Amino acid sequence: MALDVAAFESICPSRFITFTIPDPTCADSLLRVAVLDSPVPASESPLVVAMFVPEARESDWIFSTEWGHLQLLFSSPGVSRLILLGNQFKEGDSSPTIYHRPLESSSHRKELEACSKPLLLALSPKYLFKNGIPEVPILSYEDNLVSSVVIHKCAGCVVGEMLVEDVEIESENRLGGCYKREFRRRLRFKRMPNLIQTEILIVPDAKDFHSTGVRIGGVKFVPDLRVLVHPYLAPTVASLSLISEYIEGRIQLGFRPKALCLGVGGGALHSFLRNQLDFEVTGVDADKEVLKVAKRYFGLEDSEFMHVVVGDAIKFVKKLSHQANWHPMCSSATCEQHGHCHFPDGEDVNNKFDVIMVDLDSSDVRSGPSIANWYIIFRNILQNCIR
């Protein structure tokens, strides 16, 4: 079906159109074009911008999905239409592709950027031409990714499609002002591809290490859970200092501190609380597949003092608040309809916790990493905790 160019003459909130055209700089290649209009009503002077997809990252969900496109648009305040241009990628290609950031743009990309103006003008709304031929700004996408490879893809009943990737990143050393490189493992959901759900350090497996050098895709990596690297987790753990006297008092009385973590993801926080701070930890997550990924790729382990519950976190807290005791029977438990959770040791466990940590993100792209309806959620949690 032929594309009607007139469709782009006005801004239509939330409209998303993708199509391919012959690459004007390469006869045997196709160019993928994606046009997204912001769901936010346009201002009196709407802004239209374009972005070229980084070379060799065309299949990344950040650039290949409407969700990723929307997050890119929201990261640029005031933009009413974002036009993405990049090489056409093969959908459904399951073969792992190792990405290495090019040292500089290829001559093909420079030529494409130079001859893209007629296309960008054709995709611009009519009002931009009221004062003559407009200039469509071209944004550049930059992040700290040096190389990456997807090592696992799957889908959960709650979060949908997800992936695990090993990456090499470049981070700034705040003390010396120079850059260093680290290897990390990430968990991302397709519904919010620009948001890293979990990130941990990884190191080369000693059994698979080669003296020729360490590169993504060239050596097997294993989790290093001694340090928290996800930006918000260190402040989360630091907040325990607010109740440090209480925690120390519990330890002096011979009690192991207990933490209830609502939301698990890859379990980086849970593993740190258990292994580094010697807490007994209970984690609750609604998606069983996410928990499988956490155990297989992120070092989350079931143990006497690490429990994982499959269930709705808010309902779980509500059920606990109505129970005098909690009867454990199995390590990876499911919250049953009657409200009990089962763990392996078979003994009764009191339902009181010293710390409750909430790590529940929104499924709405516009909310980013924040909690949807946070006031209602926290009010419900606090009301049930007081009981």
Side-chain angles (χ1 to χ4, degrees):
M1 183 174 65
L3 183 68
D4 184 7
V5 180
F8 301 102
E9 292 182 351
S10 60
I11 298 289
C12 182
S14 298
R15 182 177 57 189
F16 181 64
I17 299 175
T18 64
F19 58 93
T20 58
I21 60 173
D23 188 330
T25 65
C26 187
D28 58 351
S29 297
L30 292 176
L31 188 68
R32 177 181 181 268
V33 182
V35 182
L36 176 65
D37 289 346
S38 173
V40 179
S43 63
E44 293 183 1
S45 302
L47 178 61
V48 176
V49 300
M51 179 185 295
F52 285 89
V53 177
E55 292 180 277
R57 294 183 66 178
E58 290 84 2
S59 62
D60 191 315
W61 286 341
I62 294 175
F63 309 104
S64 64
T65 67
E66 182 177 353
W67 298 278
H69 198 146
L70 183 58
Q71 285 182 280
L72 289 173
L73 187 149
F74 279 128
S75 66
S76 305
V79 172
S80 296
R81 173 174 292 174
L82 175 59
I83 305 169
L84 279 184
L85 302 99
N87 297 326
Q88 171 69 346
F89 60 91
K90 296 180 180 179
E91 294 191 47
D93 188 357
S94 59
S95 58
T97 301
I98 301 174
Y99 164 77
H100 294 294
R101 184 176 64 192
L103 296 178
E104 61 180 18
S105 297
S106 66
S107 57
H108 166 258
R109 173 52 57 88
K110 293 177 181 178
E111 186 179 354
L112 179 60
E113 292 180 5
C115 67
S116 63
K117 186 172 181 178
L119 173 61
L120 297 180
L121 291 176
L123 298 176
S124 298
K126 287 194 300 184
Y127 64 79
L128 286 185
F129 296 83
K130 61 183 180 181
N131 296 318
I133 298 177
E135 190 71 32
V136 178
I138 297 180
L139 305 181
S140 62
Y141 182 86
E142 296 181 357
D143 60 11
N144 61 357
L145 189 65
V146 176
S147 58
S148 67
V149 62
V150 175
I151 60 175
H152 182 69
K153 276 187 176 182
C154 61
C157 61
V158 177
V159 305
E161 293 183 66
M162 69 190 92
L163 63 80
V164 179
E165 59 185 351
D166 285 349
V167 303
E168 182 181 4
I169 65 168
E170 194 173 55
S171 59
E172 185 176 1
N173 186 331
R174 295 183 180 179
L175 296 178
C178 57
Y179 287 89
K180 63 175 182 178
R181 291 189 175 184
E182 292 181 340
F183 296 101
R184 297 185 180 182
R185 181 164 292 167
R186 293 172 170 176
L187 173 64
R188 291 195 288 138
F189 299 158
K190 188 175 183 179
R191 69 182 187 187
M192 297 185 72
N194 310 53
L195 175 64
I196 300 170
Q197 300 290 334
T198 298
E199 185 170 44
I200 63 171
L201 279 176
I202 52 175
V203 295
D205 188 342
K207 300 177 183 178
D208 195 40
F209 180 73
H210 304 287
S211 58
T212 54
V214 180
R215 287 171 60 90
I216 290 294
V219 64
K220 181 180 179 181
F221 290 91
V222 294
D224 180 355
L225 303 175
R226 295 172 296 177
V227 180
L228 294 172
V229 295
H230 211 163
Y232 74 92
L233 288 186
T236 300
V237 173
S239 67
L240 292 174
S241 62
L242 299 174
I243 57 169
S244 59
E245 291 185 9
Y246 169 77
I247 296 295
E248 290 172 6
R250 293 281 291 167
I251 294 173
Q252 290 174 3
L253 291 174
F255 295 100
R256 186 186 302 274
K258 294 177 61 178
L260 173 62
C261 299
L262 304 180
V264 176
L269 173 63
H270 310 65
S271 296
F272 187 85
L273 290 173
R274 173 67 200 101
N275 300 330
Q276 304 302 317
L277 302 184
D278 203 27
F279 271 66
E280 178 176 352
V281 181
T282 298
V284 185
D285 199 288
D287 201 310
K288 188 175 182 179
E289 194 65 31
V290 171
L291 299 179
K292 288 182 179 180
V293 168
K295 294 174 184 179
R296 182 176 178 183
Y297 294 100
F298 291 89
L300 184 66
E301 296 180 348
D302 288 323
S303 69
E304 181 182 0
F305 301 111
M306 172 70 79
H307 315 296
V308 179
V309 178
V310 181
D312 182 276
I314 308 303
K315 292 180 180 178
F316 180 82
V317 172
K318 186 176 182 179
K319 290 176 181 178
L320 281 184
S321 70
H322 289 87
Q323 291 177 214
N325 288 289
W326 179 21
H327 184 69
M329 294 290 288
C330 94
S331 185
S332 292
T334 301
C335 284
E336 304 292 347
Q337 302 249 332
H338 49 70
H340 292 121
C341 295
H342 305 289
F343 292 107
D345 44 34
E347 64 180 274
D348 290 332
V349 177
N350 194 281
N351 64 343
K352 295 185 181 297
F353 293 89
D354 300 298
V355 178
I356 296 180
M357 294 183 170
V358 182
D359 185 11
L360 304 171
D361 68 53
S362 167
S363 60
D364 187 347
V365 172
R366 290 171 291 185
S367 299
S370 63
I371 297 176
N373 302 319
W374 66 270
Y375 173 76
I376 297 175
I377 289 176
F378 274 105
R379 184 184 64 183
N380 289 338
I381 291 174
L382 290 174
Q383 286 177 341
N384 286 296
C385 289
I386 291 172
R387 291 174 178 169

